[in-house]
Amino acid sequence: MRGRNRAGLERAALLDVLRSARICHLGVIVAGVPRVVPTVFGVDPAGPDREGTLYLHGSVASRSMIDAPDQDICVTTTVIDGLVLARSAFHHSMNYRSAVVVGRPRRVEDADERIRALDAIVDQVVPGRSAHVRSHTRKELAATAVLALPMYEASVKSRSGGPVDDDLDIQRGDVWAGVVPVWEALGPAEPAADLTGDIPVPEHVDNVRRNAMRG
């Protein structure tokens, strides 16, 4: 049994990874074969499922979306924070944060929840974006499948710090060792070729770049 403090720390670590990532990988069995699909996702920590809800979406014709509710699936996200260069090949590593959420998803049928889920997925990529775009059309909603996965069964792993070398390799002192930090870099927003009128880059788009530059 996890202590309350430990459980709270683990949940905070899970939300940190999920909020930091822009893409996940969905693992599902399709026609008897494991399939791992990169996809965007959305998170609602206060969602209707146990310990919150992770939302996935795709085409209604996608076999992954069709087959997923009939089985346990796995959703994985990873954020790389640094390349750890040791004095030996054996001790090379990476600093990272990763989360794995497993469970049986449900199809989201409620109209209001579907819209909230799709907005959360848009905002996962660019926070605040969903408030600035037009509403989903009936045709778009009909073409989109939405899955909800409880965040109750999840694990988080991470590594931080420098290389951990053998004493003998450190004493030799003939190989550089250290960490190369890794962070997301975003360039200036480029307007669409068919953008008409004098529409400035909105603040929520600029914020994505500024937040990425903070590392």
Side-chain angles (χ1 to χ4, degrees):
M1 295 293 291
R2 295 178 301 173
R4 181 174 297 179
N5 291 340
R6 178 63 177 169
L9 290 173
E10 291 175 352
R11 179 166 174 78
L14 172 64
L15 293 177
D16 170 66
V17 177
L18 295 177
R19 287 167 175 161
S20 299
R22 297 189 199 276
I23 193 169
C24 72
H25 287 81
L26 163 65
V28 59
I29 303 296
V30 177
V33 178
R35 179 180 295 182
V36 178
V37 183
T39 184
V40 292
F41 65 100
V43 177
D44 183 358
D49 299 283
R50 191 172 183 183
E51 297 295 333
T53 305
L54 188 152
Y55 289 109
L56 304 163
H57 84 307
S59 168
V60 292
S62 166
R63 290 305 310 178
S64 298
M65 293 289 107
I66 294 172
D67 293 355
D70 297 325
Q71 60 183 283
D72 289 339
I73 65 170
C74 174
V75 174
T76 305
T77 61
T78 303
V79 179
I80 303 299
D81 295 319
L83 310 178
V84 181
L85 309 183
R87 294 168 177 84
S88 67
F90 181 80
H91 288 299
H92 274 62
S93 186
M94 290 187 184
N95 288 339
Y96 69 94
R97 291 163 286 154
S98 69
V100 178
V101 183
V102 298
R104 184 155 298 196
R106 61 180 173 86
R107 293 183 180 89
V108 179
E109 305 291 354
D110 179 78
D112 290 338
E113 186 184 2
R114 281 169 56 83
I115 291 173
R116 289 197 305 272
L118 294 172
D119 287 347
I121 292 170
V122 170
D123 290 338
Q124 180 73 23
V125 180
V126 179
R129 182 64 178 171
S130 65
H132 294 264
V133 297
R134 67 160 173 79
S135 301
H136 309 282
T137 67
R138 186 173 301 178
K139 181 179 179 180
E140 290 168 344
L141 291 173
T144 305
V146 180
L147 300 180
L149 180 64
M151 289 163 51
Y152 176 69
E153 293 290 343
S155 64
V156 178
K157 292 182 64 179
S158 65
R159 187 199 189 281
S160 61
V164 180
D165 278 305
D166 295 333
D167 290 341
L168 182 60
D169 290 330
I170 296 173
Q171 293 167 10
R172 288 177 58 181
D174 58 351
V175 177
W176 185 91
V179 177
V180 179
V182 175
W183 60 83
E184 184 179 56
L186 301 177
E190 300 177 358
D194 56 358
L195 187 68
T196 59
D198 186 18
I199 303 177
V201 176
E203 183 178 8
H204 70 277
V205 175
D206 273 340
N207 285 340
V208 175
R209 186 184 182 207
R210 283 195 291 267
N211 291 336
M213 291 174 64
R214 296 185 187 126

